[in-house]
Amino acid sequence: MRTEIGLVKKIEPSKVLIEADPDASCTTCEAKHGCMMSSETKKRYIWIETTEQIDVGDKVEFTIEEKAMILSSFLLYILPIIMLFLGIAGSVMLYGKSNEGAMAIGGTIGLLAGFIIIKIISHLIQNKSMFIPRLVKVIYKKK
């Protein structure tokens, strides 16, 4: 499990909106320049369900399953590329290598199919406990 720290920005019944800085591991990552999460100015906003008494401005500690982050990254970054190439390969098998128009259409169809698969999988896993961030504790209470 990855433990992170964030600031409570909004409170709704039974859940809070946490503003989290980019993870500390981002600064040492080799791929940080190509990653959407690595920018020092980008904040992440995460809804976390809780029954604890929390106020806006409190600093909290929360956890996220590493397996969930890896699977989410695969779904968002790798699956569309795989589907793009499968669409191109399918059009080559049907129409041959010389039909570039068919390859472009096949790639587009494959990419769109990838996005549809992501939407379906996201809907299926959204309530699985592995994918739900958990509030660990309040580190600092705003006075």
Side-chain angles (χ1 to χ4, degrees):
M1 275 203 198
R2 278 174 44 153
T3 302
E4 299 187 35
I5 296 173
L7 188 66
V8 177
K9 290 304 227 175
K10 186 176 182 180
I11 299 172
E12 290 189 3
S14 75
K15 64 182 180 178
V16 294
L17 180 65
I18 308 293
E19 177 186 79
D21 291 324
D23 193 298
S25 61
C26 291
T27 57
T28 59
C29 179
E30 293 296 323
K32 68 182 173 188
H33 299 294
C35 180
M36 295 175 59
M37 296 303 300
S38 68
S39 173
E40 308 240 339
T41 60
K42 288 185 182 175
K43 304 282 185 180
R44 294 177 295 142
Y45 294 91
I46 303 165
W47 284 101
I48 299 178
E49 293 184 13
T50 184
T51 56
E52 289 190 42
Q53 181 60 36
I54 297 177
D55 298 311
V56 172
D58 289 354
K59 195 171 259 193
V60 296
E61 183 177 301
F62 62 96
T63 61
I64 301 173
E65 289 278 346
E66 287 184 19
K67 282 194 262 183
M69 294 187 70
I70 292 168
L71 182 58
S72 298
S73 295
F74 173 81
L75 285 174
L76 291 174
Y77 299 117
I78 306 301
L79 184 65
I81 294 170
I82 291 171
M83 294 303 294
L84 170 76
F85 285 119
L86 286 176
I88 293 170
S91 68
V92 167
M93 289 170 58
L94 290 173
Y95 301 105
K97 290 182 182 178
S98 62
N99 195 338
E100 292 178 3
M103 290 170 62
I105 292 170
T108 303
I109 290 170
L111 191 61
L112 290 174
F115 291 135
I116 292 168
I117 291 169
I118 289 170
K119 183 72 174 169
I120 291 168
I121 292 173
S122 295
H123 181 71
L124 293 173
I125 65 174
Q126 71 183 359
N127 292 323
K128 302 280 186 208
S129 63
M130 180 174 85
F131 294 93
I132 300 173
R134 301 273 182 235
L135 185 68
V136 176
K137 64 182 175 182
V138 177
I139 296 173
Y140 170 78
K141 288 288 270 180
K142 182 180 176 185
K143 307 274 179 189

